[in-house]
Amino acid sequence: MAANWKMNKLVWEAEDYMTRLLPQISDADEVDVAVFAPFTCLGTVARMVQDTPVMAGAQNFYYQDSGAYTGEISAPMLEDIGAGAVIIGHSERRALFGETDEMVARKTARAVSAKLLPVVCVGETKEERDAGRMWEKVSEQVRAVFDFLDANRIVGDDLVFAYEPVWAIGTGDVASPADAQETIGRMRVLLGELIGEDFAGEVRILYGGSIKPGNVGEILAQKDVDGGLVGGASLGAESFAEMVNGAEAVVE
Ligand code: PGA
């Protein structure tokens, strides 16, 4: 279960959130939990999760390690402050900040080589879905992720995918559990063809888009859905804890 705070929370709010979250999820030991915080409070989150199984993650980074890239943050910088994961290619970054499939692929390759767990987001817009082009878009994005990776060396633990239909993000318009299962199931079949059956069986694929405590159980109960990437409903520690514990109940 992954919390994506997006551009929210000051340092004191992050501290307060983590202080409340950690005791509430301490029994959920079957669920991997990550909190994707803004850069300004990421160091604080990383320090607070140090002796816990929870992972601190960034919401973006740049694939070069250092140099004249004003405003950017590199993989070594993230490792330096204790981040273990990073979201790549979120639809907000693709739509608002011009992130291309090629950038997503370069970032994924660098994150994998830096042993920073990438959570790579893919998903179609409402227009693409309505035009019957959902799978064309999603499959194109999935294929592109591997452009700078060695398919013979990559294993299922190296990365995580998140299927996030753009029309479901922040809209309250959640995909039906059957829709989430259908697309994520197709992604797994495609990954089997592209990389291999072992990889496809191991790699974790999350669903994201308007997940909340009331719908997380039925979404995670789907055969191919391994977890959730949660935006709005992850901003409250109690609400995110409820979803982590809900996920634990599904696993059990
Ligand atoms: P949402 O966002 O849960 O607010 O829909 C999900 C995401 O963008 O990762």
Side-chain angles (χ1 to χ4, degrees), residues 44-90:
T44 301
V45 173
R47 186 171 37 76
M48 292 181 78
V49 299
Q50 221 164 36
D51 299 317
T52 79
V54 176
M55 213 182 246
Q59 299 168 14
N60 182 34
F61 82 116
Y62 194 58
Y63 57 83
Q64 299 288 358
D65 283 358
S66 63
Y69 304 102
T70 302
E72 294 296 317
I73 300 277
S74 70
M77 290 172 180
L78 292 181
E79 285 180 292
D80 188 40
I81 58 160
V86 63
I87 295 174
I88 298 177
H90 190 282

Side-chain angles (χ1 to χ4, degrees), residues 4 6 90-92 164 168-172 208-211 229-233:
N4 175 12
K6 308 192 179 184
H90 190 282
S91 61
E92 286 150 15
E164 296 207 308
I169 295 178
T171 57
S210 298
I211 297 184
L229 178 53
V230 190

Side-chain angles (χ1 to χ4, degrees), residues 75-205:
M77 290 172 180
L78 292 181
E79 285 180 292
D80 188 40
I81 58 160
V86 63
I87 295 174
I88 298 177
H90 190 282
S91 61
E92 286 150 15
R93 294 217 58 85
R94 293 181 189 257
L96 301 174
F97 303 101
E99 198 147 306
T100 61
D101 278 350
E102 182 185 333
M103 283 163 81
V104 170
R106 289 189 188 279
K107 290 179 181 194
T108 305
R110 183 61 192 117
V112 169
S113 68
K115 300 225 175 310
L116 200 55
L117 183 70
V119 176
V120 186
C121 302
V122 299
E124 82 286 0
T125 62
K126 178 156 190 343
E127 293 68 41
E128 287 159 346
R129 189 175 190 87
D130 290 348
R133 292 177 39 230
M134 179 279 285
W135 183 241
E136 186 188 323
K137 178 62 178 285
V138 172
S139 60
E140 191 179 284
Q141 288 181 330
V142 170
R143 283 175 199 278
V145 167
F146 297 97
D147 283 354
F148 298 95
L149 281 168
D150 180 353
N152 296 317
R153 305 238 328 247
I154 190 150
V155 296
D157 282 348
D158 284 341
L159 78 167
V160 172
F161 275 99
Y163 169 55
E164 296 207 308
V166 178
W167 47 270
I169 295 178
T171 57
D173 205 4
V174 64
S176 70
D179 279 345
Q181 165 58 33
E182 194 207 323
T183 306
I184 291 177
R186 286 178 82 171
M187 286 171 65
R188 217 179 276 288
V189 171
L190 175 63
L191 291 166
E193 289 162 14
L194 293 173
I195 312 295
E197 290 308 321
D198 288 350
F199 178 88
E202 282 163 22
V203 70
R204 285 172 291 179
I205 310 180

